[in-house]
Amino acid sequence: MTQHLSLHIRTAPAGAVIEIAGDLDHHTAPEVRAALPGLGLLPGQQLVLDLGGITFCDSSGITALIAARNHALACDAGIALAAIPDRVSRIFRIVGLDQVFPSHLTVQAAQAEWRPATS
């Protein structure tokens, strides 16, 4: 049974941070995708997805994360994942997403690593 998904979006100096909690699956992934257009990412910013509250992630959830990456790249922004639970991190390694997404232990670490684009 799917657990409720909650999204909390906030703006930081580096860009948007989306805290995702609950099951990220075929029932809830559309919520993540629907939130992307309203982020207002600017070129050179970074989108951080805080996955610390994720309890489950299936292939639809992975697709939603890739959609977030594509959205960030279309905005000329970067993307990083933070606080990936071990059970989810293992799945990401198996499917190769650890090679696609920069990941950090915390949102603060992701933001500390962010460097604005210089013109």
Side-chain angles (χ1 to χ4, degrees):
M1 176 175 214
T2 297
Q3 292 185 19
H4 176 72
L5 183 80
S6 69
L7 298 177
H8 179 260
I9 301 170
R10 69 179 192 277
T11 303
V17 176
I18 303 177
E19 298 172 14
I20 306 172
D23 287 355
L24 184 54
D25 61 17
H26 70 283
H27 293 290
T28 60
E31 294 177 49
V32 174
R33 294 176 76 118
L36 298 174
L39 294 177
L41 280 175
L42 299 174
Q45 288 187 320
Q46 174 180 248
L47 170 60
V48 177
L49 302 176
D50 180 351
L51 304 181
I54 292 289
T55 52
F56 176 79
C57 183
D58 70 4
S59 60
S60 297
I62 290 171
T63 301
L65 298 178
I66 292 170
R69 178 182 182 271
N70 291 343
H71 178 77
L73 295 176
C75 294
D76 291 325
I79 188 164
L81 304 180
I84 307 168
D86 288 339
R87 64 192 167 280
V88 176
S89 180
R90 181 176 179 273
I91 294 166
F92 286 4
R93 282 191 309 275
I94 290 169
V95 299
L97 288 182
D98 60 330
Q99 303 299 309
V100 175
F101 289 97
S103 62
H104 304 275
L105 293 177
T106 65
V107 170
Q108 294 79 8
Q111 292 173 332
E113 291 289 321
W114 170 74
R115 299 291 179 260
T118 56
S119 15

